Amino acid sequence: MSASLHAVAVDYSALDDAALVALVRGGQQGAFRHIMQRCNQRLFRIARSVLGEDAEAEDVLQESYLRAYRKLDTFRGESSLLTWLTSIVLNEARGRLRKRHNMVGLEKIDESPMDTHQIVQFPSRFGSEDPAVSAARTQIRHLLEHAIDALPPAFRTVYMMRDVEECSVEETATQLAINPQTVKTRLHRARRLLRHSLHGTVAASLTDAFPFMGERCARVTEAVMARLAAKG
């Protein structure tokens, strides 16, 4: 990939994956910054679902972006850029997990029968809120995050991808290298475990769980950009 060029005034938000990748390949690192800002939320959530810890998930995110930047010439657009980046993040996160020697026996997890109970319905949006309601919402969100953290890792990642990030069964199965029925089975069991751990508490919006916007998003983005600049 060519060295960085001077910044060009471009409305990156209006560009699709192919256009952004072309600009990055042409040396416009600002386009890569926009890619990170566009993808940070989902990729952080997925890394965290594998590792169960914020700091290491952020580290995985940085390393994955650097790996993606170096490999960007191999992106062919056969899947979306977000799907391609998700694969890189999952590989990096799993590598960290193997280093911990803490892999879960997935075969044992999949042995029990599928749960068919109804799921807890979580509200997806909130209207205008006063400070008291907002504070209560924050407390409930933390409760949900802790409950998700307590799931077995295989269940947690499927739950994060399906119910939080709203990935399709097919995409989740492809990314995790499992069959679609296994995705459905693990999702049912994850929901059952969450219902049990939450004891009937109505959880906060899933789209607000594990936020990675604002300062945290900027911190990872700036760290990656600084490391890219240092490499010339």
Side-chain angles (χ1 to χ4, degrees), residues 175-192:
Q175 292 284 6
L176 300 180
I178 57 180
N179 65 58
Q181 187 57 45
T182 302
V183 171
K184 295 175 183 178
T185 300
R186 293 182 187 175
L187 181 60
H188 276 289
R189 293 178 191 151
R191 289 168 174 170
R192 181 186 61 188

Side-chain angles (χ1 to χ4, degrees), residues 32-41 65 213 217 221:
F32 195 70
R33 179 194 298 274
H34 184 78
I35 289 171
M36 287 189 286
Q37 292 168 338
R38 182 182 288 183
C39 299
N40 269 342
Q41 176 85 22
Y65 278 133
M213 300 297 184
C217 173
T221 301

Side-chain angles (χ1 to χ4, degrees), residues 78-161:
E78 295 169 355
S79 61
S80 72
L81 184 59
L82 182 56
T83 296
W84 185 72
L85 289 169
T86 297
S87 296
I88 294 173
V89 167
L90 279 169
N91 287 336
E92 181 71 21
R94 286 165 171 164
R96 299 296 182 94
L97 206 58
R98 284 193 292 271
K99 290 178 182 178
R100 291 186 193 170
H101 303 290
N102 191 31
M103 296 296 288
V104 174
L106 301 186
E107 297 82 3
K108 293 183 179 179
I109 288 177
D110 290 330
E111 284 174 2
S112 58
M114 181 187 294
D115 171 62
T116 58
H117 293 187
Q118 294 298 310
I119 65 168
V120 173
Q121 295 295 327
F122 298 126
S124 60
R125 292 289 183 273
F126 286 76
S128 300
E129 299 170 345
D130 63 31
V133 173
S134 180
R137 178 186 175 190
T138 298
Q139 291 178 340
I140 295 171
R141 177 172 60 80
H142 288 321
L143 177 65
L144 177 59
E145 289 179 348
H146 289 313
I148 293 173
D149 276 346
L151 291 171
F155 294 174
R156 187 171 62 224
T157 301
V158 167
Y159 186 80
M160 191 71 72
M161 293 185 72

Side-chain angles (χ1 to χ4, degrees), residues 208-228:
D208 288 334
F210 303 114
F212 200 69
M213 300 297 184
E215 181 180 348
R216 299 175 76 194
C217 173
R219 182 173 66 249
V220 168
T221 301
E222 293 305 323
V224 172
M225 295 303 295
R227 292 174 68 177
L228 290 174

